[in-house]
Amino acid sequence: MPQGDYIELHQKRHGKRLDHEERLRKKEARAHRRRATQARRLTGIKAKIFNKQRYSEKAKIRKTIAAHNERTNKHKSDAPSMEGALPAYLMDRNEVTRAKVLSNMIKQKKKDKAGKWSVPLPKVKPTAEDEMLRVVKSGKRQKKQWKRFVTKVTFVGQGFTRKPPKYERFIRPMGLRFTKANVTHPELQTTFQLNMIGVKKNPQGRTWTELGVITKGTIIEVNVADLGLVTTTGKIVWGKYAQVTNNPENDGCINAVLLV
């Protein structure tokens, strides 16, 4: 076994490959084939252990799907029965009420995880990597070209600390870091200036989401505590998603529509 965290150290110093996320996604997409091959080839006690583990995973998935599905259940009505004589066709019939069992919270979490919302801009024009990143030359003789300068608007958290310039792969300039967004409530038809909490999903790819790059169509999370929104259970909502509807780098501000 290797001693020390030399892989992590190398990634800190030189960063990851530009196609690292894409390679990882493809590897995960091929995982089911590898598992199928493994299941065919294993024999004896190893096959038993593998099959038992796979069975428990599938059972868990089935339970999750069943919880998400919308269904109706029947139960006896708690309401007092009608006084007086009942018609003959109602004598042998129990009073039954139907109630929909909806797990709204679970469904919302599932939607958030899948990154699927009903958004004002369902499709956006893809942006070329050359347009979003500019190559920065470094080194004593300006021959190294592994640094990238982000030319789009970005968001970084309050506790963000830059890496030392020697190890910083992606440079996000201070002039293009935004913390507030002009968010319009579609039902109230009113615009509020709200603080941003984070970038949930950038349609251009996972790399831009992790970097906090904000382009047209990006889903951002904003602080709506000042609006006084509450859930069905009476709890105050302080974080809600909104979609960016403009090009922030051109307009100098972020305009978004709240997803309700």
Side-chain angles (χ1 to χ4, degrees), residues 30-58:
R30 291 193 304 266
H32 68 281
R33 293 183 182 178
R34 187 173 51 80
R35 295 195 74 177
T37 309
Q38 190 181 4
R40 283 198 306 271
R41 290 178 180 173
L42 285 175
T43 55
I45 189 69
K46 287 185 178 179
K48 283 185 178 179
I49 293 167
F50 181 84
N51 292 333
K52 188 178 179 183
Q53 184 186 356
R54 191 78 186 113
Y55 178 81
S56 61
E57 285 176 10
K58 285 184 178 178

Side-chain angles (χ1 to χ4, degrees), residues 155-192:
F155 168 80
V156 293
Q158 289 182 348
F160 174 74
T161 309
R162 280 184 64 183
K163 288 183 181 178
K166 190 177 179 182
Y167 303 133
E168 191 176 32
R169 180 173 173 76
F170 293 101
I171 301 163
R172 289 170 281 188
M174 289 286 290
L176 288 172
R177 289 188 203 169
F178 284 29
T179 56
K180 291 180 183 287
N182 303 320
V183 182
T184 303
H185 197 293
E187 292 173 3
L188 300 176
Q189 294 295 319
T190 316
T191 304
F192 307 92

Side-chain angles (χ1 to χ4, degrees), residues 106-119:
I106 293 172
K107 286 187 177 179
Q108 189 60 41
K109 282 182 181 176
K110 188 183 178 184
K111 281 182 183 177
D112 294 350
K113 196 171 183 181
K116 291 174 185 173
W117 303 273
S118 53
V119 291

Side-chain angles (χ1 to χ4, degrees), residues 234-247:
K235 291 182 179 178
I236 296 170
V237 179
W238 66 277
K240 215 156 176 59
Y241 296 129
Q243 189 182 32
V244 178
T245 55
N246 71 324
N247 291 311

Side-chain angles (χ1 to χ4, degrees), residues 34-130:
R34 187 173 51 80
R35 295 195 74 177
T37 309
Q38 190 181 4
R40 283 198 306 271
R41 290 178 180 173
L42 285 175
T43 55
I45 189 69
K46 287 185 178 179
K48 283 185 178 179
I49 293 167
F50 181 84
N51 292 333
K52 188 178 179 183
Q53 184 186 356
R54 191 78 186 113
Y55 178 81
S56 61
E57 285 176 10
K58 285 184 178 178
K60 193 176 179 183
I61 291 166
R62 279 197 297 270
K63 283 180 185 176
T64 311
I65 291 168
H68 289 314
N69 285 338
E70 208 171 278
R71 61 186 179 85
T72 57
N73 74 331
K74 294 180 180 179
H75 59 272
K76 281 192 176 183
S77 176
D78 296 331
S81 57
M82 293 183 293
E83 291 186 10
L86 283 173
Y89 62 87
L90 286 179
M91 291 290 287
D92 58 342
R93 190 182 296 177
N94 288 327
E95 290 182 21
V96 173
T97 58
R98 283 177 171 271
K100 269 195 176 181
V101 180
L102 294 173
S103 50
N104 289 331
M105 196 176 290
I106 293 172
K107 286 187 177 179
Q108 189 60 41
K109 282 182 181 176
K110 188 183 178 184
K111 281 182 183 177
D112 294 350
K113 196 171 183 181
K116 291 174 185 173
W117 303 273
S118 53
V119 291
L121 299 172
K123 288 185 179 179
V124 290
K125 187 181 175 184
T127 310
E129 192 175 300
D130 299 340

Side-chain angles (χ1 to χ4, degrees), residues 17-30:
R17 292 171 56 123
L18 289 174
D19 61 344
H20 171 77
E21 302 299 336
E22 187 66 17
R23 285 164 63 91
L24 201 65
R25 183 187 65 77
K26 287 181 178 177
K27 188 178 179 182
E28 287 172 4
R30 291 193 304 266

Side-chain angles (χ1 to χ4, degrees), residues 204-216:
Q204 307 298 339
R206 198 192 295 177
T207 308
W208 314 117
T209 306
E210 290 173 359
L211 285 172
V213 177
I214 300 170
T215 54
K216 191 173 184 178

